[in-house]
Amino acid sequence: MIKQANRMDTITSAIFSQVDELRKAEIEKGNDVITLSIGSPDLPPARHIVEAIKEATDDNANYGYTFTKGINEFTIAIADWYKKKFGIVLDPETEVHSLIGSQEGLSHISLCLVNPSDVVLIPDPGYPIYSAGPLMADAELYHMPLVAENNYLPDLSAIPEDILKRAKLMILNYPNNPLAATAPKEFFEEAVQYAKKYSFVICHDFAYSELAFDDYVPDSFLSVNGAKEVAVEFHSTSKTYNMAGCRVGYMVGNKEVIGLLSRLKSNFDYGIFYPLQQGAIAAITGSQDCVKELVQTYQRRRDIIVNGFNDMGWSLEMPKASMYVWIPTPNKQSSFDFTVNLLKNTGVAVIPGVAFGKYGEGYIRIALVQSEERLSEAIERIKKWLK
Ligand SMILES: *Cc1c(COP(=O)(O)O)cnc(C)c1O
């Protein structure tokens, strides 16, 4: 028998796996399953991105180690983009750094900042790596409830003083997965004040910066005065450019934090395959028409789901951003039970809110990763079932 390390008990993905087993069992039975569970983009990257990758793979010189920071062209492209998009000036040498997907950075950042039994403040519900990363660093988690009554923002004043004093890191994520919630700049300002007062780092996961609807433009966390003194922002090409498998992410902001993570990473990895960095550069510096089109696609899909549920008696608001819809279960049913019933009765696979944390109970998450036709079909099936 293999004896596993204790920390492995703390990082389970039990609910996700369970739902996926049930989903596969339905498919094996020959049922037509509409998979809206995993948030993996269904559309391809734009042609010019694929061409840039292809061209770079033809050059024998592009197969060496690239080193962890990212090639200069890549970090400069990001600094230019931040300047143009947010008016934020970043030094591409010290304030921009590549990540092998933002997930990689999120999984490692605690190792640089946290000693055993230091506190990491995480949103609940939240993306699973927000708890798994700190737990691998033997941190103590403090769950900040994100509830409708507080507009899905953490109530910082409700965090006990002794927890704040022991906190080394706070993780935030707006536009949010799974809630599709957004944050006003005033909240970021408040968070910076807390971080300064109690000396902790803020890591803002900005994976959905570009997937915003109806002219809403999400604020960069770094647009707040003084944010760079305490914060880093994590980014990804995965959702914006449909490059999830390429694993190209990056972090920007506080150079001491970036320096620490860089030092750690230089022991773990040797950077991202050069042609994939070229693909990311083409994506970031090229025409953003593909992003506009993608946003319109998600917006039409969002409308189908939200209007569909509202026709059935829900009163959902239109999310302003992300690629998810967060939906309360009927009569506060357990999110797991409802997910299983939904799957068995309609073949529609979703994620139960409880998979993202205790405060996700009573909700399901739908990922908008199927065509309008399939989403309409999903709505029709649910209507028939619930009638
Ligand atoms: C998808 C997602 C990521 C993962 O991004 P990668 O760059 O592919 O690792 C990070 N954060 C959130 C909130 C996500 O939904």
Side-chain angles (χ1 to χ4, degrees), residues 330-345:
N331 310 314
K332 304 207 161 134
Q333 259 178 73
S334 121
S335 62
F336 189 81
D337 291 351
F338 182 71
T339 297
V340 174
N341 286 333
L342 183 67
L343 179 64
K344 297 213 159 136
N345 287 285

Side-chain angles (χ1 to χ4, degrees), residues 39 100-104 106 127 130 173 177 205 207-208 235-239 244 247-249 324:
I100 306 178
S102 52
Q103 178 104 351
E104 180 264 311
L106 289 162
Y127 193 57
Y130 302 159
N173 166 222
N177 172 15
D205 181 354
Y208 297 98
H235 254 285
S236 175
T237 58
S238 297
K239 313 291 164 51
R247 314 308 302 130
V248 185
Y324 307 102

Side-chain angles (χ1 to χ4, degrees), residues 225-343:
N225 266 343
K228 232 201 251 177
E229 291 161 44
V230 292
V232 284
E233 190 154 73
F234 281 19
H235 254 285
S236 175
T237 58
S238 297
K239 313 291 164 51
T240 310
Y241 302 106
N242 297 323
M243 294 171 68
C246 294
R247 314 308 302 130
V248 185
Y250 53 93
M251 59 178 158
V252 298
N254 184 278
K255 61 176 165 221
E256 285 172 74
V257 177
I258 288 176
L260 287 170
L261 193 47
S262 182
R263 179 139 58 91
L264 184 83
K265 278 169 60 61
S266 69
N267 287 276
F268 279 177
D269 70 68
Y270 285 102
I272 301 164
F273 185 38
Y274 187 93
L276 297 176
Q277 295 195 52
Q278 287 298 339
I281 292 163
I284 292 163
T285 61
S287 162
Q288 299 301 294
D289 288 352
C290 56
V291 181
K292 268 186 219 140
E293 244 173 73
L294 184 66
V295 167
Q296 282 162 7
T297 301
Y298 281 130
Q299 188 164 333
R300 288 193 300 270
R301 293 175 176 185
R302 171 200 72 170
D303 293 350
I304 289 169
I305 293 296
V306 172
N307 292 333
F309 273 85
N310 286 349
D311 284 348
M312 290 183 268
W314 268 260
S315 39
L316 305 176
E317 279 175 35
M318 283 291 172
K320 282 194 280 189
S322 87
M323 47 189 255
Y324 307 102
V325 183
W326 185 245
I327 302 171
T329 58
N331 310 314
K332 304 207 161 134
Q333 259 178 73
S334 121
S335 62
F336 189 81
D337 291 351
F338 182 71
T339 297
V340 174
N341 286 333
L342 183 67
L343 179 64

Side-chain angles (χ1 to χ4, degrees), residues 16 37 62 70 83 99 134 179 224 231 319 344 358:
F16 286 94
S37 39
N62 292 344
K83 180 82 187 22
L99 298 170
L179 303 168
V224 169
K344 297 213 159 136
K358 154 172 116 174

